[in-house]
């Protein structure tokens, strides 16, 4: 669920989890949004999926250099993932004046 604070959308509020097969196994097979972060927990990608578990596992198994930098993941289950993705990207852009490096 999107959280508003003084009229501004707040990032995914879930804690960062290590991006390992064991951790990803507990990610639900539901629609939602997610963020990938590097070792310093800086967001490198914001995405959405109809099946969070499947999509995040795809990132783990991808050899792309961008995904290889990912060390942490956090997610939010939502039935409005397309809208929520737009909100998260806009929030990130407003804070950093650019999009995450892998988006």
């Amino acid at each position: 669920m999107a959280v508003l604070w003084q009229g501004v959308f707040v990032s995914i509020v879930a804690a960062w989890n290590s991006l390992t097969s064991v951790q990803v196994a507990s990610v639900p097979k539901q629609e939602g949004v997610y963020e990938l972060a590097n070792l310093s927990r800086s967001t490198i990608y914001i995405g959405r999926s109809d099946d969070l578990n499947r999509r995040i596992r795809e990132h783990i198994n991808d050899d792309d250099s961008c995904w290889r930098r990912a060390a942490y993941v956090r997610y939010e289950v939502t039935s409005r993932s397309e809208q929520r993705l737009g909100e998260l990207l806009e929030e990130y852009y407003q804070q950093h004046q650019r999009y995450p490096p892998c988006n």
Side-chain angles (χ1 to χ4, degrees):
M1 167 181 242
V3 179
L4 284 173
W5 179 74
Q6 296 185 0
V8 177
F9 286 99
V10 177
S11 298
I12 295 172
V13 294
W16 288 110
N17 290 303
S18 295
L19 188 61
T20 64
S21 297
V22 172
Q23 287 289 343
V24 173
S26 66
V27 173
K29 296 178 179 184
Q30 292 178 277
E31 180 180 357
V33 292
Y34 62 96
E35 291 180 73
L36 298 177
N38 60 19
L39 286 170
S40 62
R41 293 190 172 130
S42 295
T43 299
I44 61 170
Y45 183 75
I46 301 172
R48 65 157 296 275
S49 179
D50 293 329
D51 182 337
L52 288 166
N53 183 285
R54 177 189 48 77
R55 185 64 183 123
I56 294 170
R57 276 187 291 112
E58 288 172 353
H59 287 300
I60 289 176
N61 297 321
D62 196 320
D63 286 337
D64 184 285
S65 62
C66 215
W67 309 137
R68 295 176 111 189
R69 292 186 291 168
Y72 294 96
V73 63
R74 62 182 174 186
Y75 63 89
E76 177 181 297
V77 173
T78 177
S79 61
R80 17 183 294 315
S81 63
E82 288 185 38
Q83 179 181 350
R84 188 66 174 118
L85 174 61
E87 295 165 356
L88 291 168
L89 287 170
E90 178 63 23
E91 177 190 30
Y92 187 94
Y93 188 86
Q94 292 299 318
Q95 291 177 1
H96 303 280
Q97 299 305 300
R98 63 177 174 77
Y99 291 107
C102 296
N103 274 91

